[in-house]
Amino acid sequence: QRSSSLVIAKAEDMRQRQIMLYETGKNPDDRDYHTSAHSTDLKTLMESQNTKLGKDGPACREGSAGIEIAEATTLREVCGKNKITPPQKENIWVRLVKQIFTGIFNVLLWGTVLVEGALIYTGNSDDLVTPIILASVVVAAGLLQWWTELKAENLMDALSNMQASAPVP
């Protein structure tokens, strides 16, 4: 489960991307990636990709098919492995600070703590317990959510590391 602050941050990123696309004259509803492979006839597609089919056609069960091993090796050296690069992870301590101090509800609660502190400082209130308890609850809730998300992320990393490293034949 994602925290509300992360969801809000991602939604804001998407909104900023839409604004940037609109300002550059691009239609924000257009896809970022365009391909015509699905509408190209088979012969033209094979020629454009420098590949071939097996003796039995698209089934590729008989005879050699695909690109040559030398070309695959060259492509791997030039382009890297056919693997999605995982997104860069945010520092866990930065995430903790965001968990405690961001989010609309947390901002309101911290605002209340600041107002209570200002009232105590100006002498209009002598209630020290309320801001301390309120701040403690916000910090404890943020710590719990941060720790839970950290454990879930570690479990997902462990699952992704269980992938077979040998190529599928």
Side-chain angles (χ1 to χ4, degrees):
Q1 180 183 17
R2 299 193 123 195
S3 72
S4 60
S5 59
L6 287 176
V7 171
I8 291 170
K10 290 296 179 188
E12 179 61 22
D13 289 345
M14 289 171 46
R15 189 177 78 76
Q16 291 298 325
R17 180 182 172 279
Q18 296 287 343
I19 291 170
M20 186 266 314
L21 286 173
Y22 180 76
E23 288 174 352
T24 58
K26 296 180 181 174
N27 183 355
D29 296 326
D30 284 349
R31 295 181 308 226
D32 290 335
Y33 175 73
H34 298 281
T35 181
S36 60
H38 62 284
S39 60
T40 307
D41 68 280
L42 193 55
K43 183 180 178 190
T44 307
L45 183 61
M46 288 189 323
E47 288 173 1
S48 72
Q49 299 301 311
N50 195 23
T51 188
K52 62 185 175 197
L53 296 178
K55 293 178 183 174
D56 56 348
C60 297
R61 291 190 190 111
E62 296 178 19
S64 60
I67 60 175
E68 300 292 327
I69 292 175
E71 186 176 356
T73 304
T74 304
L75 285 171
R76 190 175 303 116
E77 289 172 1
V78 171
C79 302
K81 293 182 177 181
N82 187 12
K83 189 175 180 182
I84 296 175
T85 305
Q88 187 175 4
K89 292 185 180 179
E90 190 174 34
N91 185 311
I92 59 172
W93 303 113
V94 171
R95 289 194 334 215
L96 174 62
V97 169
K98 283 184 177 180
Q99 201 72 272
I100 293 174
F101 294 104
T102 61
I104 212 141
F105 191 65
N106 284 0
V107 169
L108 290 173
L109 291 174
W110 283 115
T112 305
V113 169
L114 288 174
V115 168
E116 285 281 335
L119 288 174
I120 292 169
Y121 180 74
T122 59
N124 293 329
S125 176
D126 58 354
D127 180 19
L128 290 171
V129 176
T130 302
I132 292 172
I133 290 177
L134 194 54
S136 301
V137 168
V138 173
V139 169
L143 277 169
L144 180 64
Q145 190 170 7
W146 170 77
W147 182 70
T148 305
E149 287 182 11
L150 202 58
K151 276 182 50 177
E153 183 180 314
N154 288 339
L155 287 172
M156 292 303 292
D157 288 344
L159 278 175
S160 66
N161 289 335
M162 292 174 73
Q163 291 180 347
S165 59
V168 178

